[in-house]
């Protein structure tokens, strides 16, 4: 199964939250911008590593839901979200 990384660049995020409707792991953070919370998905028990700094959010997953993350990234009108495979 591919391992993939989701990155949200906070300076590019405008808090439009189009990503939230594509992937339930995307949520509104305390700063009013998008972030990733693996526990926010009500359907799947999801595990992932999330690092949230002043500049960006980086989440790494090794599940089969890369398509959902890519749909969330494609929905972002400011291109603040990137998804890339980082290995097996």
């Amino acid at each position: 199964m591919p391992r993939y990384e989701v990155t949200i660049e906070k300076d590019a995020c405008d808090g439009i939250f189009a990503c939230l409707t594509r992937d339930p792991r995307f949520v509104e953070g305390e700063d009013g911008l998008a972030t990733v919370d693996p526990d926010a998905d009500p359907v799947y028990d999801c595990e992932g590593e999330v690092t949230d700094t002043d500049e960006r959010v980086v989440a790494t997953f090794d599940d089969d839901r890369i398509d959902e993350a890519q749909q969330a990234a494609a929905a972002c009108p400011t291109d603040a979200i990137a998804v890339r495979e980082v290995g097996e």
Side-chain angles (χ1 to χ4, degrees), residues 1 13 22 28 36 42-43 51 59 73-74 79:
M1 193 169 311
C13 180
R22 306 309 194 283
E28 182 177 353
V36 178
V43 177
T51 303
D79 294 325

Side-chain angles (χ1 to χ4, degrees), residues 23-38:
D23 186 332
R25 297 173 291 183
F26 287 81
V27 297
E28 182 177 353
E30 292 180 11
D31 57 5
L33 302 175
T35 191
V36 178
D37 180 358

Side-chain angles (χ1 to χ4, degrees), residues 8-85:
I8 303 171
E9 295 295 338
K10 290 187 176 183
D11 64 344
C13 180
D14 280 347
I16 297 168
F17 303 122
C19 54
L20 276 63
T21 63
R22 306 309 194 283
D23 186 332
R25 297 173 291 183
F26 287 81
V27 297
E28 182 177 353
E30 292 180 11
D31 57 5
L33 302 175
T35 191
V36 178
D37 180 358
D39 296 326
D41 191 326
V43 177
Y44 294 98
D45 185 19
C46 183
E47 291 185 21
E49 300 170 17
V50 179
T51 303
D52 192 337
T53 68
D54 289 340
E55 293 83 29
R56 69 187 51 86
V57 176
V58 179
T60 306
F61 296 97
D62 59 359
D63 54 33
D64 61 353
R65 298 177 62 200
I66 191 170
D67 288 341
E68 289 177 52
Q70 289 171 330
Q71 288 174 15
C76 180
T78 62
D79 294 325
I81 303 169
V83 179
R84 68 183 185 100
E85 286 192 33

